[in-house]
Amino acid sequence: MPEPTFLSRLTGSFATSAAQNPTVAIMEAAFVDAGLDCRYINCEVGPDRLEAAVRGAVGMGWMGFNCSIPHKVAVLSYLDELAPSAQIIGAVNTVVISGGRLIGENTDGQGFVASLRTVADPTGLDVVVLGAGGAARAIAVETALAGARSITIVNRTAERGEALARLIGERTPATGTYAPWTPRFGIDPSTGVVINATSIGFHPDTGSTPDVDMTTLQPGMVVADVVANPPRTRFLQEADDRGCVTLEGLGMLVNQALIAVRLWTGEDVSGDVMRAVLEDLFSA
Ligand code: NDP
């Protein structure tokens, strides 16, 4: 019998507000399921205490941590190194602490691509991203790096949309185009993937859908949503009714967590366990 130990490996999250963030629940369930002696601590950390929290994680020997709103950009000033895609995205949601060095990663877009790969290979596809915020930025960059041919950014605020389209054109092999979000926006029939990367449809505003002319969606097109709660958004339901292949935001959420665990521990834990916890939480 191995000696019992009473020293868990630690990780967690820094954000404000932290109370509604379900990540701790999925991480701890997956750790228990995998028999990993790891703990995930959800911390309420405002901008004035981010530096102290980061130093604290290093001091306590944490494996790393997630950072969420509003720290994804601010945390960059405390890091020693950035993974290549995090450098392009300009934001970090996962930090790995290794040998005293802090390495910034962005698993949001990688989580989306992992989820996308369950239904389609992004290579050579024309992709439409609705939105140009943090999630859209991560998704657009990673999908472009995964081999998409073109990324069209559709956003309400032109400057943000144009900046993201420019970033794609300059820093990835894909072409980047901005399209103003005109009423009942029509999707080009050659499009392979359409992604709602806005917060439209997020609980409790579940009756809202992005202003897209749904008659322009073709059967077989992949239609994805970043909104994870509810998992089945009205946008996805209507796309499903038109014969599209739909992809829930829950898949992205689970996959970005799986990638973070792999970065911290080198282990693959169960996505099914994480998904079951989230489905339970979101159906309550
Ligand atoms: P941001 O605030 O950075 O960006 C929000 C985006 O949505 C902007 O492009 C904004 O447009 C657009 N938007 C918001 N409301 C409207 C509206 N009424 N009409 C048109 N456009 C609108 O948020 P994030 O990118 O961080 O998050 C977006 C969503 O992604 C959230 O619901 C979040 O929960 C989800 N998310 C999901 C993840 C997952 O793993 N499933 C991971 C990360 C985020 P504008 O620029 O004009 O303001």
Side-chain angles (χ1 to χ4, degrees):
M1 281 281 282
E3 280 274 309
T5 64
F6 302 95
L7 190 63
S8 302
R9 288 185 287 163
L10 302 178
T11 180
S13 172
F14 303 147
T16 185
S17 64
Q20 303 307 317
N21 185 346
T23 307
V24 58
I26 65 174
M27 289 290 188
E28 295 237 309
F31 290 152
V32 169
D33 175 74
L36 289 177
D37 188 7
C38 299
R39 300 303 304 266
Y40 188 99
I41 302 165
N42 191 26
C43 305
E44 175 75 25
V45 174
D48 55 329
R49 287 191 294 114
L50 179 62
E51 181 173 4
V54 172
R55 301 290 166 230
V58 175
M60 288 185 280
W62 285 26
M63 298 181 282
F65 53 88
N66 284 135
C67 43
S68 192
I69 293 170
H71 305 314
K72 289 185 179 182
V73 175
V75 76
L76 263 63
S77 45
Y78 309 117
L79 305 181
D80 299 302
E81 206 178 305
L82 280 179
S85 67
Q87 204 162 20
I88 299 173
I89 295 163
V92 156
N93 75 334
T94 301
V95 174
V96 178
I97 304 172
S98 177
R101 286 178 67 74
L102 290 98
I103 302 138
E105 299 265 357
N106 192 313
T107 67
D108 280 335
Q110 293 170 32
F112 173 78
V113 170
S115 182
L116 176 62
R117 285 192 194 282
T118 64
V119 295
D121 177 355
T123 310
L125 292 182
D126 295 322
V127 176
V128 172
V129 178
L130 306 171
R137 220 174 148 82
I139 287 171
V141 167
E142 293 289 359
T143 311
L145 294 177
R149 182 171 65 171
S150 73
I151 310 278
T152 302
I153 308 294
V154 183
N155 198 50
R156 181 179 57 181
T157 306
E159 304 84 74
R160 262 177 129 185
E162 283 165 353
L164 179 51
R166 221 170 19 246
L167 181 80
I168 296 300
E170 287 172 2
R171 304 284 302 272
T172 80
T175 58
T177 310
Y178 168 68
W181 199 332
T182 47
R184 276 175 60 83
F185 186 85
I187 304 295
D188 190 284
S190 68
T191 302
V193 186
V194 184
I195 306 147
N196 173 36
T198 75
S199 44
I200 300 168
F202 193 84
H203 177 82
D205 193 19
T206 54
S208 300
T209 54
D211 189 12
V212 167
D213 179 356
M214 298 301 276
T215 65
T216 61
L217 297 180
Q218 312 293 321
M221 251 181 203
V222 176
V223 176
D225 210 319
V226 291
V227 170
N229 183 15
R232 200 90 199 126
T233 58
R234 196 177 134 200
F235 182 53
L236 289 188
Q237 191 53 60
E238 290 182 9
D240 195 28
D241 292 344
R242 296 193 168 273
C244 300
V245 177
T246 58
L247 202 58
E248 297 178 353
L250 211 62
M252 172 179 170
L253 190 57
V254 166
N255 277 292
Q256 59 86 17
L258 290 175
I259 295 165
V261 171
R262 200 175 302 134
L263 287 168
W264 293 323
T265 68
E267 306 276 350
D268 285 319
V269 295
S270 168
D272 289 344
V273 166
M274 291 184 172
R275 176 176 279 275
V277 170
L278 286 171
E279 280 171 349
D280 201 34
L281 286 171
F282 294 160
S283 68

